[in-house]
Amino acid sequence: QVQLVESGGGLVQAGGSLRLSCAASISTFSLNTMGWYRQAPGKQRELVARISSGGITTSYEDSVKGRFTISRDNAKNTVYLQMSNLKPEDTAVYYCNNVNRPIDWGQGTQVTVSS
């Protein structure tokens, strides 16, 4: 069964850092563009960062540029999101998924940033 398991969230003060991980049991993981998404209460899920299959090309939503870094380890079928200088508006549940062919969403990991 294909699964996405996100971890690494938590409660952090503004200005702090967290590193999220997403383990994907996808046999073709290394061939897929992966992305990190977030969904804040009352808002739609949004894509905040994506990384190409080989990890060479990345892109970010404007509000996280310069603060978030996406990376991946294809040998471990894992994608990461390093988040720095966190702000209260980053508070959300964070998910990962295949950008071009989304599969069933995982449970996500909660990130809460206090002011």
Side-chain angles (χ1 to χ4, degrees):
Q1 181 179 358
V2 178
Q3 282 188 316
L4 299 167
V5 180
E6 300 91 350
S7 63
L11 173 64
V12 64
Q13 289 188 333
S17 299
L18 285 172
R19 189 193 194 207
L20 307 184
S21 298
C22 171
S25 60
I26 305 173
S27 62
T28 58
F29 177 84
S30 64
L31 302 180
N32 299 319
T33 295
M34 294 295 294
W36 278 99
Y37 299 75
R38 68 185 179 187
Q39 187 167 20
K43 295 187 177 181
Q44 289 191 332
R45 188 173 291 159
E46 63 174 348
L47 176 65
V48 297
R50 66 166 67 190
I51 186 167
S52 61
S53 57
I56 302 301
T57 303
T58 59
S59 63
Y60 300 90
E61 193 267 333
D62 286 347
S63 69
V64 308
K65 282 181 181 177
R67 301 187 299 119
F68 290 11
T69 302
I70 189 170
S71 61
R72 66 191 297 163
D73 184 339
N74 285 343
K76 296 182 178 179
N77 276 22
T78 300
V79 61
Y80 304 97
L81 187 68
Q82 177 68 47
M83 306 186 295
S84 302
N85 191 21
L86 283 161
K87 303 177 180 181
E89 51 263 43
D90 295 318
T91 295
V93 180
Y94 284 72
Y95 305 85
C96 70
N97 212 323
N98 183 329
V99 173
N100 297 316
R101 292 186 177 182
I103 63 173
D104 289 344
W105 295 91
Q107 83 287 351
T109 186
Q110 175 72 48
V111 172
T112 303
V113 184
S114 64
S115 58

